[in-house]
Amino acid sequence: MHTPVYLDNHATTPVDPRVLEAMLPCFSGVFGNPSSRVHEFGWRAAEAVETARAQVARLIGAAPDEIIFTSGATESNNLAIKGVYEAAAKHGNHIITCATEHTAVLDVCRSLEKRGALVTILPVDSGGLLDPGRVADAITDHTVLISVMTANNEIGVIQPIEDIARVAAYKDIPFHTDAAQACGKAPFNVRMAGIHLVSFTAHKLYGPKGVGALCIRRRPPRVRLAAQIHGGGQERGWRSGTLNVPGIVGFGKACELMLDEMPAESLRLRVMRDRLLTLLRESIDGVDVNGALEPRLPHNLNVSFERVEGESLIMRLRDVAVSSGSACASASVSPSHVLHALGLTPERAHSSLRIGLGRFNTNPEIDYAAGRIIEEVKRLREISPTS
Ligand SMILES: Cc1ncc(COP(=O)(O)O)c(C=O)c1O
């Protein structure tokens, strides 16, 4: 077993060696620009991209021509939210979203507020779940988009996305979901009633960084979307720019592997995750799970340790890579907006750890991590002035 043990798979996942192998030819032989329509180099690159598009589409039950490649879920969210908002300017200016969304949704909505958007940010219950009834109540004649994430990146809680999508469909309102954490980790199919737009990204599913997708469904009512990046007209005009062929090929391979391996992998990770929680609870008191344990991503655990400052714990765990929340916010000292939305006290929010298991973790690593967390929690409690 090697240390440090990596348990921060919500921040990013290592590239699967099989994905890397699929990507390598794109740096040498298949180096052409897929937009070069007049020679063999371009054709081969375009063929590789179309194979990947089919693989990516298959993971979420979409048609290949419903997939637009982007640089990641942040860009996909920007395209979906700003794109719908701009295209719907004549019809309304109201967007509904949720308090526990990733900043790649919340900050996009905030930026639109400066351009005249009215944004309703719905609260969640103490488990982190959004009540579809609240979504229905929030809809007005001016609502142009509902955006609710599928699974949360900090607490792993899975929203009742089918029910929310049904509410949106009933009112003919485009529905977008940020499924960056859910795709490949939990059963997800875009054919669910009413889903129009899905954002996801390769680096959360053992693919490379810097590549993602927006699925734009063709189902009626057809969603109208204004492009956010203009130029050469690639990706049917929705996202200009030369395609990242190695990244896209890696994304495709990662999705193919996920589709094949998800059932067994989810089960294995769930068993390891539950074992980790049991080990912690057997040895120390005051271990509280943040967010509902079910429905939750099988590889997520977010726990608070009473009378322990989370940042101090993380600093002491140099041989176990965990985090206190979103990687994008981990430089900030303010408590996570997600834990705040659950109604946790600042003390409890500040005593939390986010643990994300992944494909390459082993049972000995989990035992080691549990032992180290227990050791450091005990030590911090011993030296804590409040203990
Ligand atoms: C739920 C969620 N949305 C969006 C993102 C951003 O994805 P990307 O890094 O591909 O831009 C992340 C990554 O942290 C995420 O967890």
Side-chain angles (χ1 to χ4, degrees), residues 31-317:
F31 68 85
N33 186 330
S35 300
S36 302
R37 310 259 164 177
V38 289
H39 52 66
E40 176 79 20
F41 296 91
W43 300 330
R44 285 181 63 197
E47 197 182 308
V49 166
E50 292 320 309
T51 301
R53 200 185 298 281
Q55 290 167 319
V56 169
R58 208 172 300 126
L59 178 67
I60 61 165
D65 63 357
E66 293 177 325
I67 298 294
I68 298 297
F69 287 117
T70 65
S71 64
T74 301
E75 189 191 324
S76 300
N77 287 342
N78 272 266
L79 174 56
I81 299 170
K82 291 178 184 164
V84 167
Y85 180 77
E86 281 175 22
K90 284 200 197 108
H91 307 287
N93 64 342
H94 181 223
I95 298 172
I96 298 172
T97 187
C98 168
T100 53
E101 293 294 311
H102 193 275
T103 46
V105 165
L106 289 176
D107 282 2
V108 176
C109 291
R110 282 183 197 119
S111 81
L112 289 178
E113 277 179 327
K114 294 191 193 116
R115 286 157 56 181
L118 275 173
V119 181
T120 300
I121 300 179
L122 295 173
V124 292
D125 67 16
S126 60
L129 288 160
L130 175 61
D131 175 359
R134 277 191 187 267
V135 179
D137 292 345
I139 294 172
T140 73
D141 291 345
H142 304 288
T143 307
V144 292
L145 180 70
I146 298 170
S147 179
V148 177
M149 72 196 326
T150 306
N152 188 270
N153 49 299
E154 293 189 30
I155 54 174
V157 167
I158 300 172
Q159 296 293 356
I161 226 68
E162 273 193 72
D163 295 340
I164 297 170
R166 221 167 272 133
V167 167
Y170 183 66
K171 296 277 186 175
D172 275 356
I173 296 169
F175 178 58
H176 165 248
T177 188
D178 174 351
Q181 295 286 344
C183 276
K185 313 292 173 63
F188 179 90
N189 194 305
V190 79
R191 293 191 199 283
M192 279 186 263
I195 294 190
H196 292 91
L197 297 155
V198 184
S199 300
F200 55 125
T201 187
H203 76 101
K204 309 284 186 187
L205 36 84
Y206 311 98
K209 292 167 187 59
V211 59
L214 180 67
C215 169
I216 308 173
R217 291 296 321 273
R218 281 184 290 110
R219 61 181 299 286
R222 214 166 159 154
V223 66
R224 294 173 62 80
L225 204 65
Q228 300 298 307
I229 297 181
H230 302 94
Q234 288 89 345
E235 299 299 87
R236 289 185 285 135
W238 270 314
R239 203 280 189 176
S240 287
T242 300
L243 291 174
N244 169 5
V245 180
I248 288 169
V249 166
F251 189 14
K253 184 67 185 175
C255 290
E256 183 190 84
L257 294 172
M258 267 299 182
L259 196 61
D260 289 348
E261 297 176 9
M262 181 170 43
E265 188 165 299
S266 299
L267 191 64
R268 192 180 78 89
L269 293 176
R270 181 185 298 277
V271 169
M272 285 204 293
R273 189 266 316 268
D274 292 349
R275 177 176 160 72
L276 177 59
L277 182 59
T278 305
L279 289 172
L280 296 176
R281 283 189 158 153
E282 274 172 2
S283 298
I284 35 180
D285 57 12
V287 178
D288 301 305
V289 175
N290 298 320
L293 247 185
E294 290 298 336
R296 175 185 288 248
L297 294 171
H299 61 300
N300 172 277
L301 194 58
N302 191 309
V303 275
S304 287
F305 300 96
E306 279 173 24
R307 294 175 283 116
V308 168
E309 215 268 310
E311 289 300 325
S312 310
L313 180 56
I314 289 167
M315 295 318 280
R316 283 170 164 268
L317 289 171

